[in-house]
Amino acid sequence: MSQSEINLLINIRNNSSNLSPILERVGRFITENPDYVMRHTISELADSIDTSEGSITRFCRAFGFKGFSDFRTALALEQGAARPDNAGSDEISAVIASIRDSNAIIDSQELQAAAVWLNQLDQVAIYAVGTAVPVALFLQMNLMRMGKAASFIDRFYSAAAPIYSSEQKAGIIAIHTEQASADLLQMLALAKQQGIEILSITRGTFTPLGRLSDRNLQAAVALKGEGEFGFAEVAGAMMVADRLLLALEEQDERYAACRRSQQKSIFSIESVANKLSEYFMS
């Protein structure tokens, strides 16, 4: 069974934005109402979404299924095998789901390659806007504690771009959770022209940034977010950033020793429920 089949709803949330507006609406309804989808016919589903049966079929085929029947069977198997435990409040449940889903879809080979690349750098510039800023600051703080020269760039114009000497090996980490400015993309395009490699951490598939990036680590799109439960909106990206830091520690034991002396990892699956809020409120 493929990774996308194992994590069908995660795959839909991450990739529906690449579809037409009608099919994106179908995807959003399905991810928010999986139980309803499993219990109803294609015509009933089409009526509920105010679309046609043909649109439902096209949506299913976009994710590799012959039709709605095959899609509904796969969804039922996934939901039956992976019912989430009762995690308390809706807010905490949404946060844990965001982290669990992001952890499930991380490409371990891409993560390892990113850690090897990061280990070789002398300087790292981290770019982010909006809701991605806390993730960028978390990553910068920990990289500096591990002995890496890391800067956070919060003004996207040429005067703010870091200047690297030819003797230094530099790289950029760009983080996207909800929004990206034209200035950000222009700065990254300029860096790309100068031969600077870019690692992106994105929530879902963000095509403009993907085209500029040499490597991409993807977090799952939160089932609830966008102001409903703000922590869930960025928790997955935070977990991916922490996984990157842990992978970097494996490159050199001195990283781990340095980080442990100052701060423990706070975004493990087990501890996130009672520590994530504390981090954001500090």
Side-chain angles (χ1 to χ4, degrees):
M1 184 175 290
S2 70
Q3 183 80 350
S4 61
E5 289 172 330
I6 294 172
N7 301 287
L8 179 56
L9 289 181
I10 307 174
N11 192 33
I12 293 171
R13 294 206 304 271
N14 272 25
N15 292 287
S16 289
S17 61
N18 294 326
L19 304 176
S20 68
I22 293 175
L23 298 191
E24 183 179 6
R25 190 169 77 245
V26 172
R28 182 171 180 83
F29 184 92
I30 289 173
T31 59
E32 293 178 350
N33 304 278
D35 290 337
Y36 180 92
V37 175
M38 290 185 290
R39 294 196 307 267
H40 291 77
T41 66
I42 186 172
S43 60
E44 292 169 332
L45 180 59
D47 288 341
S48 298
I49 307 176
D50 192 22
T51 190
S52 67
E53 293 183 22
S55 294
I56 304 295
T57 300
R58 286 194 298 276
F59 175 86
C60 296
R61 288 176 177 170
F63 285 91
F65 296 92
K66 293 180 180 179
F68 178 68
S69 178
D70 289 342
F71 175 86
R72 186 172 59 180
T73 299
L75 179 62
L77 289 172
E78 176 180 272
Q79 291 297 289
R83 284 291 180 184
D85 297 330
N86 184 0
S89 72
D90 286 343
E91 181 171 0
I92 295 299
S93 298
V95 169
I96 292 177
S98 179
I99 291 173
R100 181 187 296 126
D101 291 349
S102 296
N103 190 59
I105 65 171
I106 284 182
D107 186 318
S108 58
Q109 291 184 338
E110 190 72 13
L111 180 68
Q112 182 68 17
V116 171
W117 168 77
L118 186 55
N119 179 48
Q120 297 171 349
L121 299 181
D122 298 311
Q123 293 194 43
V124 184
I126 305 171
Y127 290 70
V129 295
T131 56
V133 170
V135 185
L137 293 175
F138 167 76
L139 192 55
Q140 180 203 19
M141 174 186 68
N142 280 277
L143 285 173
M144 292 179 66
R145 286 176 170 172
M146 295 165 73
K148 281 288 184 186
S151 57
F152 168 55
I153 311 299
D154 61 350
R155 295 287 190 273
F156 301 115
Y157 41 77
S158 58
I163 300 174
Y164 304 113
S165 69
S166 58
E167 293 81 18
Q168 295 173 320
K169 186 170 178 58
I172 289 174
I173 299 176
I175 302 172
H176 171 266
T177 55
E178 180 186 12
Q179 52 193 238
S181 68
D183 286 346
L184 168 60
L185 296 177
Q186 289 172 2
M187 286 299 304
L188 293 174
L190 178 61
K192 187 76 172 176
Q193 292 174 6
Q194 296 173 344
I196 300 175
E197 293 189 6
I198 299 170
L199 165 68
S200 60
I201 297 176
T202 61
R203 191 189 64 166
T205 303
F206 184 60
T207 303
L209 187 52
R211 285 196 296 264
L212 291 169
S213 303
D214 299 281
R215 299 170 181 82
N216 174 248
L217 298 175
Q218 212 177 103
V221 173
L223 179 58
K224 293 183 178 180
E226 318 299 348
E228 291 180 81
F229 299 128
F231 293 168
E233 194 173 338
V234 298
M238 279 282 193
M239 191 280 304
V240 172
D242 197 57
R243 284 285 301 274
L244 176 60
L245 292 166
L246 291 172
L248 179 60
E249 288 180 356
E250 295 175 358
Q251 298 297 310
D252 190 322
E253 62 183 11
R254 290 173 294 181
Y255 290 136
C258 185
R259 193 181 185 206
R260 278 197 304 267
S261 69
Q262 301 188 56
Q263 179 183 1
K264 294 182 179 179
S265 172
I266 64 172
F267 284 98
S268 64
I269 297 296
E270 295 78 11
S271 65
V272 68
N274 57 3
K275 291 185 177 178
L276 185 59
S277 297
E278 177 185 337
Y279 173 82
F280 275 93
M281 297 303 293
S282 63

